[in-house]
Amino acid sequence: MTIKTGDKAPDFSLPKQDGTPVNLKELLQKATVVLYFYPKDDTPGCTKEACSFRDSYEAFKEAGAEVVGISSQSAASHEAFAAKHRLPFTLLADEGGNVRRQYGVPSTLGLLPGRVTYVIDRSGVVRHVFNSQINATRHVTEALGIVKQLQGASAA
């Protein structure tokens, strides 16, 4: 099953980089969630994407959103990656790939874990899905645009 715009986002609990569990339902009580799945810590495209989210993080926060990255590396790998690149947001360890499968994130060429970003509103509904393995930084601009639209709609 692939999660599409308009679908209810599947709930999950995964360890973040310091090992403490993070639950999607709890995150949504506080903010819109920008959930991005990426292939692997410290690879060129993933580093570029993570640093782009880092550089726009304040804009996401101001628009009422929290950024969360997910890949299959361990919490320790995420902790090192976050420290090395000063990432202010949460990275979750989906070591068995269960959450990736739950969301139906496709593989590229059947080999590489996919790169897909979901914008999930506070009621748990997916408002936007962007899938591009190659255009890593566009995930940030796409997501920020949707988050700002959602913020404008809730302010109206």
Side-chain angles (χ1 to χ4, degrees):
M1 183 174 112
T2 300
I3 300 301
K4 302 176 295 310
T5 300
D7 289 348
K8 193 82 166 155
D11 193 26
F12 60 82
S13 183
L14 289 173
K16 67 179 186 176
Q17 60 262 47
D18 68 3
T20 58
V22 171
N23 178 278
L24 179 62
K25 196 183 310 182
E26 290 172 9
L27 289 173
L28 291 170
Q29 290 172 0
K30 301 175 194 142
T32 295
V33 173
V34 175
L35 188 66
Y36 82 96
F37 288 85
Y38 65 100
K40 193 172 181 188
D41 292 340
D42 262 327
T43 57
C46 296
T47 299
K48 195 173 185 179
E49 181 180 29
C51 290
S52 188
F53 271 116
R54 176 199 65 204
D55 295 346
S56 297
Y57 186 67
E58 283 307 312
F60 280 103
K61 294 297 281 182
E62 286 170 18
E66 186 54 61
V67 175
V68 178
I70 298 182
S71 78
S72 60
Q73 281 71 52
S74 67
S77 173
H78 288 341
E79 189 169 44
F81 182 52
K84 180 177 179 182
H85 298 288
R86 300 179 329 280
L87 304 179
F89 50 86
T90 299
L91 296 177
L92 300 177
D94 184 24
E95 290 192 70
N98 291 333
V99 174
R100 181 177 290 276
R101 281 189 294 282
Q102 233 181 327
Y103 277 74
V105 176
S107 295
T108 303
L109 305 172
L111 301 169
L112 280 176
R115 183 186 312 279
V116 180
T117 299
Y118 300 86
V119 177
I120 305 166
D121 72 16
R122 293 191 58 190
S123 63
V125 175
V126 175
R127 294 295 175 191
H128 187 69
V129 179
F130 182 69
N131 179 354
S132 175
Q133 185 71 298
I134 296 165
N135 202 337
T137 58
R138 187 156 161 220
H139 286 260
V140 178
T141 54
E142 288 267 334
L144 189 55
I146 297 299
V147 166
K148 287 180 175 180
Q149 281 178 16
L150 291 173
Q151 180 191 37
S154 68

